[in-house]
Amino acid sequence: MLAGDIQTERVKGPRRRVLPSLGARLALADGAATGTTLVLLLALMGRSGAGVVSLLGMAALFGMCTITGAYEQANVRLSTSTLDQAPRLLTLSGLLALVLTILMPVLSSDGFTGQQAGLLWFSLFGGLAFGRIVLSLLDRNPQDRARCVVIGDVSQAERLRSHFRAGGVHADIVAAIPLSTDALMEEPEEDLEFSIRMVTDEFEVQRIIVAPPEDGLIFMPKLLRTAKAIGLPISFMPQVLESVGHAMEFDDIDGMTLIGVRPFGLSRSSRYLKRAFDVVVASVLIVLFAPLLIAITLAVMIDSRGSVLFKQVRVGRDGQHFTILKFRSMVTDAEAMKEDLRSLSEGGEGLFKIANDPRITRIGRFLRSTSLDELPQIFNVLRGEMSLVGPRPLIVDEDSSICGLDRGRLHLMPGMTGPWQVLRVRASRPEMVAIDYRYVAGWSLWTDLKILMRTFQHVTGERNV
């Protein structure tokens, strides 16, 4: 394959600026955050030698991150949201607090008390998280977006663009190089490398995204070796693993790599943990939102005639039916009007959803835009019919169209919010089912916490979830 035979998709936009690597920028942000946090905290404690301690803290931080390769790993990733990094930052700040607590008696006459050590830990965590947030805000300049090229199945290029935009990933697809199975089979690696390198140089590419053809997985080692020879970071789209989720572990057994996948479903202890979390948080929310619940009840009663609550049979865990509760946001005969409006549905195959539904009342439009119509589902959570986070509870007609192993999404109780509701792109029914399945397959309490925090971001950003 000659270089002139490669087709590319050009993207207009500013040429990139030469910036330090992401790892270097993270190191600078972490160092500044650590030093500032230690100076301020020690000043509040009335301790001397804040400058020396802050320098020691920064040195310890850089040492730990260098040993673990944290900043090198950051250069490999495309998505670096602070929320996803939070567990690692919590561990890092805890280790740093431990090191400083051990060394403090050497630097001064008295060390940290247990209370001060705990305060140091969470102050460092807050400082590091704040520093990462500031860095992400500074990195939003269009000229700093990572320039990527897709090689292999170029039909994935547009899909990647939409997900980059929706997920806030600071990257652009600037070129796409189609590589068929025949090309991968016949062309020498040297010719492939030369052709790809010409494109990466011309478009100032900073990252290669490998999207293997469906029938070309056998040639993946060749394609990856060729891409790695270019000397740029690589992202690989392992479509074969899309149904697995993120619950994977890599084993290196005497030079041979194996991927361990967790069995489907939650253990008994995980179920108890999830249920306990739901009960505690739902109980707190009812107390906090009691005045709001009363105010919405009065507003719905004044706005239109009918019941305050909308009740509908939905399909829950393991296919069991239950009655979901919502504040009524439509006219009382909304269900009778559904068939006449089905042609206007925008929810894709198997889902009924209209952006500007004519059945919605005045107060209902506000409740939906803020997702406040979902609040009564807190009582479904307390009754054990729903969870705070989980798969979407479908109506009986929609659920009947889901069959086979896809029904594994019902292994958990349905949720008030879930993994696909916080996406910024509208999901079709097959996509929704796949996303819910991956959520169940890779569940963790931290995943639920992230989804709840992202739900809050959507609601406060006036995006209905």
Side-chain angles (χ1 to χ4, degrees):
M1 179 177 61
L2 300 176
D5 296 330
I6 295 180
Q7 302 173 4
T8 59
E9 299 179 5
R10 297 177 181 267
V11 173
K12 295 181 180 180
R15 307 298 274 180
R16 71 178 179 91
R17 300 185 301 175
V18 178
L19 289 175
S21 67
L22 176 59
R25 301 200 302 276
L26 288 175
L28 181 61
D30 289 348
T34 299
T36 303
T37 299
L38 290 174
V39 168
L40 293 176
L41 185 60
L42 293 177
L44 290 174
M45 291 180 179
R47 289 176 173 267
S48 58
V52 175
V53 175
S54 64
L55 290 175
L56 178 62
M58 287 188 287
L61 173 77
F62 295 144
M64 288 187 292
C65 290
T66 301
I67 292 173
T68 59
Y71 296 133
E72 288 296 325
Q73 294 172 11
N75 289 329
V76 177
R77 296 176 61 91
L78 260 175
S79 178
T80 56
S81 72
T82 305
L83 191 57
D84 289 332
Q85 299 168 31
R88 183 172 295 182
L89 293 180
L90 186 62
T91 302
L92 180 61
S93 57
L95 290 174
L96 182 56
L98 177 62
V99 170
L100 293 175
T101 300
I102 294 173
L103 295 179
M104 195 63 187
V106 179
L107 302 175
S108 63
S109 57
D110 59 335
F112 291 126
T113 65
Q115 185 179 8
Q116 290 174 332
L119 178 61
L120 176 63
W121 180 4
F122 289 103
S123 297
L124 285 170
F125 171 68
L128 288 171
F130 180 75
R132 297 288 180 99
I133 292 173
V134 172
L135 178 63
S136 67
L137 293 175
L138 295 176
D139 275 350
R140 289 184 179 178
N141 190 314
Q143 290 181 295
D144 301 334
R145 299 175 71 88
R147 300 171 64 84
C148 306
V149 59
V150 175
I151 60 176
D153 182 4
V154 297
S155 66
Q156 299 291 338
E158 190 55 41
R159 180 186 175 197
L160 282 166
R161 286 193 186 99
S162 64
H163 280 267
F164 284 175
R165 290 192 297 267
V169 177
H170 208 61
D172 286 322
I173 306 296
V174 299
I177 307 174
L179 287 177
S180 64
T181 302
D182 291 339
L184 289 172
M185 179 173 58
E186 297 172 1
E187 297 297 325
E189 291 182 1
E190 294 80 2
D191 292 348
L192 289 174
E193 177 191 346
F194 177 76
S195 300
I196 296 172
R197 190 181 295 276
M198 288 190 63
V199 175
T200 58
D201 289 344
E202 177 185 356
F203 288 87
E204 297 182 312
V205 169
Q206 298 167 280
R207 177 177 294 270
I208 296 173
I209 299 178
V210 177
E214 291 186 3
D215 57 348
L217 292 177
I218 191 174
F219 299 106
M220 278 310 303
K222 177 179 181 179
L223 184 54
L224 285 174
R225 283 198 305 267
T226 303
K228 290 178 70 173
I230 306 298
L232 295 173
I234 299 171
S235 294
F236 170 46
M237 294 184 66
Q239 298 179 51
V240 69
L241 299 178
E242 284 193 354
S243 62
V244 174
H246 61 272
M248 296 181 293
E249 296 293 338
F250 289 85
D251 278 327
D252 186 349
I253 303 177
D254 197 23
M256 181 177 65
T257 301
L258 293 179
I259 300 178
V261 180
R262 194 174 74 186
F264 183 81
L266 270 65
S267 65
R268 181 175 299 179
S269 60
S270 295
R271 284 185 181 274
Y272 290 153
L273 175 63
K274 183 173 176 62
R275 179 59 185 156
F277 176 77
D278 285 340
V279 171
V280 171
V281 175
S283 300
V284 173
L285 290 178
I286 286 180
V287 175
L288 292 177
F289 290 155
L292 181 60
L293 290 169
I294 295 173
I296 294 175
T297 299
L298 294 175
V300 173
M301 292 173 62
I302 295 172
D303 183 56
S304 61
R305 291 183 298 176
S307 173
V308 171
L309 293 177
F310 168 74
K311 300 178 181 181
Q312 188 180 52
V313 176
R314 297 288 181 101
V315 181
R317 178 184 168 189
D318 296 331
Q320 297 178 358
H321 293 185
F322 73 100
T323 301
I324 196 172
L325 303 176
K326 292 186 179 185
F327 281 120
R328 183 173 57 83
S329 59
M330 291 187 175
V331 295
T332 54
D333 58 344
E335 283 298 304
M337 302 168 59
K338 185 174 179 179
E339 287 304 318
D340 294 334
L341 298 172
R342 188 170 293 277
S343 61
L344 302 178
S345 176
E346 302 172 2
E349 179 187 353
L351 290 178
F352 183 86
K353 192 175 184 66
I354 303 176
N356 296 306
D357 200 317
R359 302 172 297 170
I360 301 176
T361 62
R362 290 173 299 177
I363 188 65
R365 198 166 301 280
F366 168 75
L367 293 177
R368 287 194 167 203
S369 67
T370 56
S371 296
L372 292 176
D373 62 320
E374 311 279 354
L375 281 181
Q377 292 168 33
I378 297 176
F379 296 99
N380 286 117
V381 174
L382 288 178
R383 283 156 48 174
E385 299 165 333
M386 293 183 66
S387 176
L388 292 172
V389 181
R392 172 181 173 164
L394 298 177
I395 62 175
V396 177
D397 290 345
E398 293 175 346
D399 178 77
S400 63
S401 63
I402 299 176
C403 56
L405 294 178
D406 286 342
R407 297 195 65 80
R409 64 184 291 277
L410 298 175
H411 177 74
L412 296 180
M413 285 186 293
M416 292 181 62
T417 185
W420 72 267
Q421 288 96 321
V422 297
L423 296 176
R424 295 183 180 91
V425 292
R426 188 178 296 277
S428 64
R429 184 189 65 86
E431 291 172 327
M432 181 206 72
V433 171
I435 292 169
D436 281 345
Y437 183 91
R438 287 197 297 271
Y439 163 77
V440 176
W443 180 86
S444 69
L445 185 59
W446 174 241
T447 300
D448 279 7
L449 288 170
K450 285 198 299 183
I451 292 174
L452 286 173
M453 285 185 276
R454 283 174 175 156
T455 299
F456 177 76
Q457 291 175 343
H458 275 60
V459 172
T460 54
E462 299 183 355
R463 290 184 295 269
N464 191 12
V465 299

